[in-house]
Amino acid sequence: MASDVPPPELLEEILSRLPVKSLLQFRSTSKSLKSIIDSHHFINLHLKNSLSRSLIIQHKFDLYQLQIDDHDDFSKSMMIPLNHPFTTKITPVTRNRTRTMALIGSCNGLLAISHGQLAFNHPNNPNEITIWNPSTRKHRMIPFLPLPIPDIMESDNINRCCLCVHGFGFDPLTGDYKLLRISWLASPHNSFYDSHVRLFSSITNSWKIIPSMPYSLIYAQFMGVFVENSLHWIMTKKLGGLHPSLIVAFNLTLEIFNVVPLPDVHNSNESFEIDVDVLGGCLCMTYYETTKVDVWVMKEYGSRDSWCKLFTMVKSCYDLPLKSLRPLGYSSDGKKVLLRVDAEKLFWYDLKSAQVSYVEGIPDFHGVMFCVGSLVPPSFPVDNSKKKENRTSKSMRRDDFLSRGFKLRL
């Protein structure tokens, strides 16, 4: 009876809390459910209400999904092999040291993955990138962009090579998923050359040139960390000397680089390093000293005063290589933090007791990141009615951004 059918708003709310697998099954049962589930409005509502999260684990050229239950108990979860877009392209011939696969980033249930060279000596060396939703199995390939370098093998200095890193994120103002590429020439005789920055837009399906940044990346193989519509790396004004490490952000809306203010860290003249991650949706900084590691969280993005020291691990108290420690995420109840160490082991850190417990049953891995279950397609539709409003408000967003007190570096 018609009276037994819930109102459309209530039906959408109920459906939005279901896992993607169930929704894909319901989608094929009726035209009305298909219309609801495929709508832009419902995709956003489901993303907002999604209760499903999993770990995506990379082991060499293979990807696995490890579902996380409400009790954060990995022992009851199975590592499910994923048939990723590059699976058919990876053969015994390509599984060699000159080719690699990397997890670039995770955003709104989409993964950016690369498959190509570790170091490049020709503009057209293979380097494929795809944006993929592991829940729906849909993907799109990013148009190939040659590297802005000469054919190094035909130059006078064949020891040079080109390195590049990427960052993947979402611009909420335009509804655009963007991919940033930073590339540069490296040589043992001339440390680093000027970088070349390129930005890909999923709306235009094209790359554009971004003015070069006045910084150098400290960690050549690290991908950008996405927080608050910006991608973050650890950089310095130039390599060598006594220049301090900085957290440098690229704002995907304004398409400019800026320096994120660091917390007041009272260092006792010990040697130290910093890393940047995302933890619970907040920018996270790991501060490594000789004898300990501090993990800081920026509660209000852009505000220096909002930095809060979450916890400290003293080297003498733990049988762990703390130099390689990186935070991944909170437990469901927020009382523990999942950490990776040596880029191949996982363990929980209890924020109250300061005790650690290893996650058993996971083989050594080369990459790991959280991913939410979503229906977001790799080619997300844009509401045309908002385009005019977005163009008008972009200058307002710039003024609001500048008022935060960031130190800009154009």
Side-chain angles (χ1 to χ4, degrees):
M1 296 178 62
S3 59
D4 295 332
V5 179
E9 295 81 7
L10 178 59
L11 179 61
E12 287 186 356
E13 189 67 30
I14 295 172
L15 291 174
S16 71
R17 300 178 186 278
L18 297 178
V20 173
K21 184 177 181 180
S22 299
L23 291 173
L24 294 179
Q25 292 173 341
F26 292 152
R27 181 181 176 275
S28 61
T29 61
S30 74
K31 291 183 178 180
S32 59
L33 285 178
K34 181 179 184 299
S35 177
I36 292 174
I37 294 170
D38 289 350
S39 70
H40 190 163
H41 167 74
F42 181 79
I43 290 173
N44 282 329
L45 180 64
H46 179 265
L47 179 63
K48 177 183 176 182
N49 294 337
S50 179
L51 301 175
S52 172
R53 63 172 183 159
S54 59
L55 278 179
I56 303 297
I57 297 173
Q58 177 198 348
H59 177 69
K60 296 182 179 179
F61 291 94
D62 300 316
L63 294 181
Y64 300 88
Q65 187 175 39
L66 186 65
Q67 203 69 32
I68 303 173
D69 63 20
D70 294 337
H71 304 289
D72 305 298
D73 186 359
F74 293 104
S75 64
K76 298 178 181 179
S77 301
M78 293 182 59
M79 287 183 56
I80 303 172
L82 295 175
N83 189 25
H84 60 80
F86 295 129
T87 300
T88 57
K89 296 186 178 184
I90 297 172
T91 66
V93 176
T94 61
R95 287 177 180 263
N96 57 57
R97 295 181 180 179
T98 64
R99 301 291 293 274
T100 186
M101 193 176 77
L103 295 172
I104 294 175
S106 172
C107 178
N108 293 344
L110 297 178
L111 291 175
I113 313 170
S114 69
H115 175 234
Q117 304 275 124
L118 281 170
F120 305 88
N121 53 35
H122 190 279
N124 294 320
N125 278 151
N127 185 33
E128 298 176 293
I129 299 175
T130 186
I131 297 175
W132 176 52
N133 185 325
S135 297
T136 64
R137 303 297 193 264
K138 294 181 179 179
H139 77 280
R140 67 179 291 185
M141 298 299 296
I142 303 300
F144 176 74
L145 179 69
L147 291 160
I149 61 172
D151 185 349
I152 295 173
M153 297 306 293
E154 295 181 359
S155 68
D156 294 334
N157 185 0
I158 62 173
N159 292 319
R160 292 188 303 173
C161 67
C162 181
L163 302 174
C164 67
V165 296
H166 297 86
F168 174 63
F170 179 65
D171 176 5
L173 187 64
T174 59
D176 195 1
Y177 288 89
K178 297 180 178 180
L179 182 81
L180 191 75
R181 185 184 79 181
I182 303 173
S183 61
W184 65 97
L185 281 170
S187 166
H189 305 295
N190 189 352
S191 296
F192 281 77
Y193 294 75
D194 290 338
S195 60
H196 297 269
V197 186
R198 302 292 185 268
L199 183 67
F200 173 79
S201 162
S202 62
I203 290 179
T204 64
N205 198 42
S206 62
W207 294 86
K208 66 186 292 186
I209 297 175
I210 300 296
S212 295
M213 59 181 187
Y215 306 103
S216 295
L217 284 154
I218 293 180
Y219 308 116
Q221 297 298 323
F222 283 6
M223 301 300 175
V225 175
F226 178 67
V227 182
E228 288 286 337
N229 83 311
S230 293
L231 296 166
H232 304 78
W233 285 272
I234 301 299
M235 301 188 186
T236 184
K237 288 185 178 180
K238 60 181 181 180
L239 293 178
L242 300 176
H243 300 284
S245 297
L246 306 167
I247 298 179
V248 176
F250 180 80
N251 186 292
L252 292 175
T253 298
L254 304 179
E255 298 181 356
I256 58 175
F257 287 98
N258 60 272
V259 174
V260 178
L262 298 178
D264 288 321
V265 179
H266 301 289
N267 183 265
S268 57
N269 296 321
E270 291 186 84
S271 61
F272 68 93
E273 297 178 11
I274 61 174
D275 273 329
V276 63
D277 290 286
V278 56
L279 186 60
C282 295
L283 191 68
C284 174
M285 183 189 79
T286 308
Y287 185 87
Y288 307 94
E289 290 188 61
T290 305
T291 58
K292 65 175 184 175
V293 173
D294 295 327
V295 175
W296 294 74
V297 174
M298 183 180 260
K299 297 291 188 179
E300 181 183 346
Y301 186 76
S303 172
R304 180 173 185 170
D305 294 337
S306 72
W307 279 109
C308 173
K309 187 188 293 186
L310 188 63
F311 63 89
T312 296
M313 297 184 72
V314 179
K315 186 176 181 180
S316 60
C317 298
Y318 300 94
D319 185 22
L320 296 168
L322 298 184
K323 181 68 180 296
S324 60
L325 179 148
R326 303 288 297 274
L328 286 173
Y330 290 106
S331 59
S332 299
D333 58 12
K335 296 180 180 180
K336 296 182 292 185
V337 177
L338 184 65
L339 304 168
R340 65 175 179 175
V341 63
D342 267 349
E344 58 185 22
K345 297 294 183 184
L346 299 177
F347 66 92
W348 289 106
Y349 176 86
D350 191 296
L351 293 171
K352 184 177 181 179
S353 67
Q355 298 297 310
V356 299
S357 56
Y358 273 99
V359 177
E360 304 292 344
I362 298 179
D364 293 351
F365 54 83
H366 299 84
V368 61
M369 60 179 54
F370 276 102
C371 185
V372 299
S374 85
L375 293 164
V376 176
S379 302
F380 202 77
V382 178
D383 187 348
N384 291 326
S385 65
K386 295 183 179 180
K387 284 188 176 180
K388 183 176 180 180
E389 175 187 350
N390 287 343
R391 285 195 293 267
T392 304
S393 61
K394 189 167 185 177
S395 61
M396 296 174 61
R397 178 67 67 90
R398 178 184 292 270
D399 292 340
D400 175 66
F401 179 79
L402 293 175
S403 67
R404 297 183 182 181
F406 277 112
K407 187 177 180 182
L408 296 184
R409 289 289 185 269
L410 304 177

